[in-house]
Amino acid sequence: MHPFTYTRVASTREALDAGRRGGRYIAGGTTLVDLMRETVEQPEALVDISHLPLREVTATERGGLRIGALVRMSEAAAHPKVRTLYPVVSEALELSASAQLRNMATIGGNIMQRTRCTYFRDVTAACNKRDPGSGCAALEGHNRTHAILGTSDACVATHPSDVAVAFAALEATVHLLGPDGARTLRFADFLLRPGTTPNREQALRKGELITAVEIPALPRPLKSGYLKVRDRQSYEFALTSAAVALHIRAGVIREAKVAAGGVGTVPWKLPAVERHLIGQRPSAALWAEAAAKAADGARPLRHNAFKTELLTRTVERQLRVVGGTQ
Ligand code: SF4
């Protein structure tokens, strides 16, 4: 591990000052410390923000829910409002990592976590994300767990977060605070596809801090849930996943929010699936027809063509679980 300085800040102002000077924010540290041990990341200055007052879950005036960036994953999953209003968020969190990690890791850290591509973590391998311009060992290497959507010639790594898939489905926003003030980004604009610069993963400006994730108000009743398909039943990342939320009134689907995980370089929103559902009556045939659009545009690699069919089946099953067949 390379030498670094460590500063714990007590106020947002102190944090922003340190961030402006190039300090790297750390809270739960469940990703960054691992990467520092492996010398994948070598920050010179760590700024511990874990004592900032960003640990509240609050209902918004607009009828949504605001989750502070430093709320622990386990706290968010267990929060009565999250459980009641957005089960898809609770389920995505509870299917992530281990209980110990969920007790440490924060919501802000979770959506910032870096890919699990093994070549990214192997400092002897070519990796454009870790070392821009060095190439991508995964393109010709073992790529069974890699992305089939949103890829580029520079990078095919998946985004590893589960709860980010739920946030993408629900069209959450990310609240940021930086040296130039506060701003809010749509979740879809916060995480970046790799393009030619896979080393740039979020639309953050220098020194900006995530303060909260906000889920918008959605029509009620809203049924929602998260399905994660993986090689083993716990402590494993998704091969495919589906976050689904449906508002069904008088037997007709009025609102549909659907996204997939484990298949995209970012959490993958499925607007074609959503459009196919709205205005229709739930039925087994409808779920199958809508899910058939989930893998539109997929570009499988040598070892992960199975994900195309698996994604379709994952989405179909979760539509059936959430929507039933009334
Ligand atoms: Fe690096 Fe992305 Fe290629 Fe993995 S897929 S080796 S993270 S450039």
Side-chain angles (χ1 to χ4, degrees), residues 216-260:
L218 291 166
R220 303 278 158 197
L222 187 77
K223 293 164 95 179
S224 72
Y226 186 73
L227 174 64
K228 181 174 182 177
V229 178
R230 45 190 164 170
D231 282 330
R232 59 182 182 198
Q233 260 313 96
S234 72
Y235 201 39
E236 184 58 279
F237 292 87
L239 288 171
T240 58
S241 71
V244 171
L246 299 173
H247 169 54
I248 303 172
R249 187 163 42 82
V252 174
I253 300 166
R254 313 284 170 163
E255 194 75 69
K257 306 289 182 194
V258 187

Side-chain angles (χ1 to χ4, degrees), residues 115 117 119-120 126-130 135-139 146 154-157 198:
T115 183
C117 172
Y119 301 108
F120 171 71
C127 174
N128 289 321
K129 191 181 280 296
R130 170 173 34 76
C136 172
L139 285 174
H146 286 70
C155 181
V156 292

Side-chain angles (χ1 to χ4, degrees), residues 13 16 20 176-183 205-209:
R13 175 52 50 204
L16 293 180
R20 189 169 36 216
L176 304 170
L177 186 63
D180 298 326
R183 65 185 181 124
R205 296 174 185 156
K206 186 175 180 185
E208 266 186 332
L209 189 64

Side-chain angles (χ1 to χ4, degrees), residues 60-233:
T60 67
E61 285 177 10
R62 297 176 287 274
L65 203 61
R66 186 179 168 114
I67 305 175
L70 296 177
V71 174
R72 308 280 173 180
M73 288 171 68
S74 54
E75 294 168 344
H79 195 282
K81 283 201 181 306
V82 179
R83 289 194 93 80
T84 311
L85 298 175
Y86 306 104
V88 63
V89 172
S90 286
E91 290 174 16
L93 286 164
E94 285 172 345
L95 289 169
S96 305
S98 64
Q100 292 91 335
L101 287 169
R102 293 194 295 271
N103 284 338
M104 281 298 292
T106 63
I107 292 296
N110 184 295
I111 63 174
M112 289 286 292
Q113 69 180 291
R114 307 203 68 188
T115 183
R116 306 307 296 193
C117 172
T118 50
Y119 301 108
F120 171 71
R121 284 161 190 261
D122 173 0
V123 293
T124 66
C127 174
N128 289 321
K129 191 181 280 296
R130 170 173 34 76
D131 182 12
S134 64
C136 172
L139 285 174
E140 297 302 324
H142 191 63
N143 47 39
R144 176 176 176 272
T145 60
H146 286 70
I148 57 173
L149 290 157
T151 56
S152 72
D153 292 343
C155 181
V156 292
T158 54
H159 191 275
S161 168
D162 291 294
V163 76
V165 181
F167 288 150
L170 296 171
E171 292 158 19
T173 52
V174 184
H175 293 276
L176 304 170
L177 186 63
D180 298 326
R183 65 185 181 124
T184 301
L185 289 181
R186 296 186 322 145
F187 202 80
D189 296 329
F190 175 71
L191 294 175
L192 305 176
R193 297 187 197 183
T196 56
T197 54
N199 53 309
R200 186 155 185 265
E201 296 172 320
Q202 302 91 15
L204 282 169
R205 296 174 185 156
K206 186 175 180 185
E208 266 186 332
L209 189 64
I210 302 171
T211 54
V213 174
E214 182 173 333
I215 305 170
L218 291 166
R220 303 278 158 197
L222 187 77
K223 293 164 95 179
S224 72
Y226 186 73
L227 174 64
K228 181 174 182 177
V229 178
R230 45 190 164 170
D231 282 330
R232 59 182 182 198
Q233 260 313 96

Side-chain angles (χ1 to χ4, degrees), residues 32-63:
L32 183 55
V33 173
D34 265 1
L35 293 173
M36 288 171 66
R37 280 203 203 100
E38 294 165 11
T39 68
V40 173
E41 297 248 26
Q42 298 175 14
E44 292 183 358
L46 289 185
V47 182
D48 182 350
I49 58 170
S50 58
H51 288 238
L52 298 186
L54 301 172
R55 290 190 70 169
E56 300 283 319
V57 177
T58 47
T60 67
E61 285 177 10
R62 297 176 287 274

